[in-house]
Amino acid sequence: MSDGNGQGHVVIVGGGFAGVGCARALAKHDAVRVTLIDRNNYHQFQPLLYQVATSQLAPSDIAYSLRKLFRDRPNVDVKLAEIAAVDPATRTVTAADGQTWTSDAVVLAAGSRPNFFRTPGAESDSFPLYTLDQATRLRSRILTLFEDADRSPELVDRGALNFVVVGAGATGVEVAGALADLISDTMALEYRDLAVSAARIHLVDLGHVLLGPFSEGSHDYAAKVLQRKGVRTHLGVAVTAVRPGEVELADGTTIPTHCVIWGGGIQAAELAGATGLVQGRGGRLMVLPDLSVDGAPGVHAAGDVANIPDRHGEPLPQLGSVALQSGTWVADNVLADFAGKPRKAFHYHDKGIMAMIGRGAAVAEVGPHHHELHGHIAHTAWLGVHAGLMTGVRNRVDAFLAWGWDAFSSGRGPQVLDRSDAARIDWEHEQAPESAVA
Ligand SMILES: Cc1cc2nc3c(=O)[nH]c(=O)nc-3n(C[C@H](O)[C@H](O)[C@H](O)COP(=O)(O)OP(=O)(O)OC[C@H]3O[C@@H](n4cnc5c(N)ncnc54)[C@H](O)[C@@H]3O)c2cc1C
């Protein structure tokens, strides 16, 4: 299979872990030409978005130019475009502005988006944390609240320093821990008219434990650390509505707040629905064990957008390591297709799972048997794994400098209120709730 230049053409939609993994593996083969398309001109490192939102890292520490990543790879062409439709029959992808790319193989790697589970107001009035843009918006909202409460302390009674985190999975626990550190680091020294004790962080989840996919020991450790940091947990209760100025829980409680952080779940990127292909749980594309799409020759899916079966047929979790490995695996199967050889079933090499719960505290369950580590040793494992996954050497150095600075001092990273318009609060019109949680 080849174009006029004797090369097979592969179009990859999405420059996340899966798309970049796939493009990097294909780039080594001169007989292949790759077009890598993303709506952003950078690869973003989602696991560290919460550190940007809580002023630990700068946005540039966790984003890397896709063009720079492939500047030494003449057979990889990067295009900035929002893909709106995919025609699996002709392996053609169409951008929102109408431009099309037709290929010998299409790799769908468009990732996830938040799932608000039809909770009224959640989409319009909460702050999800899935993109760099959302992380900087959230950072500005948090800092706006600090500034407004510092100038007008009476706003504290209207929930100006109440932060509600929805979802007690890794995203929610990590952001709650980091937010508690941000508050204790900055309030006393930088916002002298505010008391640390005036701030409240509420972590809400329908489930009954923190860090659901982890072991019982990790659930307990996370609960203890967050309690020590002053985070209030509301488990076994759903958020029923988010409104400007308050959040409502299923047990009838309302919490006055102007910052609801949504880490309540994910679903497949919108693009999955624009392919006409079969979707499973969370709207994810159903793939065969070799990551190809049944009945759509030359179409493959990898990473979060796909429902990837493990060797027992159970779906693998939406993790960076699954995305990276599946993207690389797709590259091998595309090459096998081009060479007329059989594709191989994907085998995931499980290196474990980990979550950071604020400064110096982490849980890590390492290796396929998930050997449990807590505290500083888990923190060190976390640093190593995340630095290793980061794409550019410069980003790694910058992030390590920021982490070192953060570990040994309470001076924070970039507390920049740069999205003031997006983060502004209309205190005049946002209602003052009648009931409140102490
Ligand atoms: C806050 C957070 C914390 C996390 N923490 C961890 C962790 O600690 N460890 C871990 O292993 N995993 C973690 N994950 C999960 C991990 O980040 C994801 O599993 C991984 O990023 C998925 O990679 P992907 O390539 O499938 O998708 P993504 O990384 O989401 O990349 C998808 C790409 O597709 C692009 N795109 C989407 N739609 C279109 C379109 N229509 N047109 C053009 N481009 C498009 C996007 O811009 C994006 O660049 C976390 C996720 C989040 C959100």
Side-chain angles (χ1 to χ4, degrees):
M1 212 178 260
S2 67
D3 62 10
N5 304 319
Q7 292 171 304
H9 182 207
V10 183
V11 165
I12 302 173
V13 184
F17 288 111
V20 165
C22 186
R24 274 183 154 165
L26 289 172
K28 295 175 193 151
H29 299 266
D30 293 336
V32 178
R33 180 167 68 89
V34 175
T35 305
L36 174 62
I37 306 173
D38 201 293
R39 60 159 71 105
N40 299 311
N41 79 340
Y42 53 82
H43 164 81
Q44 62 193 356
F45 193 89
Q46 279 187 349
L48 294 176
L49 287 173
Y50 82 94
Q51 297 206 359
V52 171
T54 54
S55 303
Q56 271 173 283
L57 292 176
S60 55
D61 292 337
I62 68 158
Y64 198 78
S65 156
L66 286 169
R67 286 183 191 280
K68 285 207 191 306
L69 209 49
F70 293 102
R71 61 189 289 180
D72 298 329
R73 304 288 184 180
N75 57 341
V76 179
D77 188 20
V78 174
K79 293 285 179 238
L80 178 71
E82 169 86 34
I83 298 303
V86 178
D87 178 6
T90 59
R91 296 175 300 281
T92 300
V93 305
T94 305
D97 65 4
Q99 190 171 354
T100 60
W101 289 266
T102 298
S103 60
D104 301 310
V106 176
V107 180
L108 300 170
S112 296
R113 63 186 157 128
N115 192 343
F116 297 102
F117 298 104
R118 299 193 183 151
T119 309
E123 191 162 359
S124 53
D125 292 314
S126 72
F127 288 77
L129 194 50
Y130 297 95
T131 65
L132 198 59
D133 182 69
Q134 290 165 350
T136 54
R137 194 171 150 255
L138 173 59
R139 178 177 68 182
S140 286
R141 169 56 69 108
I142 294 168
L143 297 176
T144 297
L145 285 163
F146 290 1
E147 298 295 344
D148 287 3
D150 181 64
R151 207 180 52 240
S152 312
E154 70 278 6
L155 294 177
V156 173
D157 291 338
R158 292 178 59 192
L161 294 181
N162 287 352
F163 301 90
V164 178
V165 181
V166 184
T171 300
V173 165
E174 288 186 327
V175 80
L179 191 52
D181 288 345
L182 172 66
I183 288 167
S184 69
D185 287 347
T186 55
M187 286 267 160
L189 290 171
E190 296 172 28
Y191 297 93
R192 297 187 189 127
D193 290 334
L194 297 176
V196 174
S197 58
R200 303 256 187 283
I201 301 168
H202 299 271
L203 179 60
V204 187
D205 199 296
L206 186 55
H208 292 271
V209 293
L210 305 178
L211 296 177
F214 290 69
S215 66
E216 209 177 311
S218 298
H219 301 161
D220 296 344
Y221 176 78
K224 242 181 260 161
V225 173
L226 288 184
Q227 191 184 21
R228 201 175 61 226
K229 289 178 183 287
V231 174
R232 294 161 189 226
T233 47
H234 306 253
L235 297 177
V237 59
V239 168
T240 44
V242 181
R243 291 187 278 270
E246 67 179 7
V247 97
E248 181 191 275
L249 308 189
D251 62 7
T253 310
T254 53
I255 304 173
T257 178
H258 300 267
C259 187
V260 178
I261 301 163
W262 193 268
I266 50 173
Q267 58 183 324
E270 217 169 347
L271 186 65
T275 59
L277 298 169
V278 180
Q279 294 172 266
R281 192 155 184 254
R284 286 182 272 276
L285 296 171
M286 298 302 290
V287 290
L288 295 170
D290 63 14
L291 307 175
S292 66
V293 178
D294 199 15
V299 179
H300 311 254
D304 277 12
V305 80
N307 219 334
I308 302 177
D310 67 10
R311 61 184 68 188
H312 309 292
E314 297 298 319
L316 286 165
Q318 282 66 57
L319 287 175
S321 44
V322 175
L324 190 61
Q325 290 180 36
S326 62
T328 310
W329 200 278
V330 162
D332 287 343
N333 277 340
V334 166
L335 292 168
D337 273 356
F338 286 178
K341 293 184 180 159
R343 291 189 290 265
K344 289 190 181 147
F346 175 56
H347 285 302
Y348 173 54
H349 178 45
D350 185 357
K351 294 180 184 161
I353 47 177
M354 44 190 73
M356 183 90 146
I357 321 165
R359 186 180 293 119
V363 290
E365 296 182 4
V366 188
H369 301 295
H370 286 203
H371 178 66
E372 204 177 301
L373 303 172
H374 297 161
H376 283 288
I377 185 165
H379 185 181
T380 308
W382 183 97
L383 288 176
V385 166
H386 284 80
L389 272 173
M390 289 181 99
T391 303
V393 174
R394 216 201 76 202
N395 301 53
R396 253 177 250 170
V397 172
D398 288 348
F400 259 103
L401 283 175
W403 287 330
W405 186 253
D406 186 63
F408 298 111
S409 81
S410 59
R412 305 289 302 191
Q415 270 164 247
V416 180
L417 204 172
D418 53 353
R419 307 278 309 271
S420 47
D421 279 352
R424 183 167 299 134
I425 299 150
D426 182 359
W427 292 105
E428 284 258 309
H429 296 101
E430 286 197 8
Q431 65 194 69
E434 284 158 16
S435 57
V437 167

